[in-house]
Amino acid sequence: QVQLVESGGGLVQAGGSLRLSCAASGRTFSNYAMGWFRQAPGKERELLAGISWSGGGTYYADSVKGRFTISRDNAKNTVYLQMSSLKPEDTAVYYCAAAKSTYYRRPSDFGSWGQGTQVTVSS
């Protein structure tokens, strides 16, 4: 199974930007579609973005479309989430995830998650 470790979370002011990274190890990284989730206190875990194994296909939730960009560097076994125009409602624990197969547009498409990294957006 793939192991995932997120980094890059922290405190940022509203309107600012932040880039999250997820380092993967274990099984061949390039064989996995990948995604990013977040979970705010008292709320369900939300799928934010997904990316195909090649990086050629992406999915974004409406809540982050146009503000967040998912990308990957298979040579570095790393997936990224570039977050811009951050809002206080973006405050959550952010998780990267590995898909079960080639699909990456639904929460149930994912089967492994990292430990999470906290993102706090102040107003």
Side-chain angles (χ1 to χ4, degrees):
Q1 188 61 268
V2 65
Q3 288 77 51
L4 306 171
V5 180
E6 301 96 333
S7 63
L11 176 64
V12 64
Q13 284 70 50
S17 299
L18 202 62
R19 188 181 75 159
L20 306 182
S21 299
C22 176
S25 62
R27 303 206 176 194
T28 304
F29 176 72
S30 61
N31 288 341
Y32 289 86
M34 299 290 293
W36 285 94
F37 289 73
R38 70 184 178 193
Q39 188 167 26
K43 298 183 179 180
E44 297 292 325
R45 188 175 294 187
E46 175 189 15
L47 175 62
L48 303 177
I51 188 166
S52 66
W53 67 269
S54 67
T58 57
Y59 162 81
Y60 295 98
D62 289 341
S63 60
V64 305
K65 193 173 299 180
R67 299 189 298 123
F68 291 11
T69 301
I70 188 170
S71 62
R72 67 190 298 161
D73 186 341
N74 288 344
K76 296 183 177 180
N77 294 337
T78 302
V79 61
Y80 305 95
L81 186 68
Q82 177 66 51
M83 305 184 294
S84 300
S85 302
L86 284 163
K87 307 173 181 179
E89 52 262 44
D90 294 320
T91 296
V93 177
Y94 283 68
Y95 302 87
C96 66
K100 300 173 183 176
S101 63
T102 59
Y103 304 107
Y104 54 89
R105 298 174 57 89
R106 301 166 58 196
S108 60
D109 291 334
F110 298 86
S112 300
W113 289 264
Q115 84 289 345
T117 185
Q118 177 71 45
V119 172
T120 302
V121 183
S122 61
S123 60

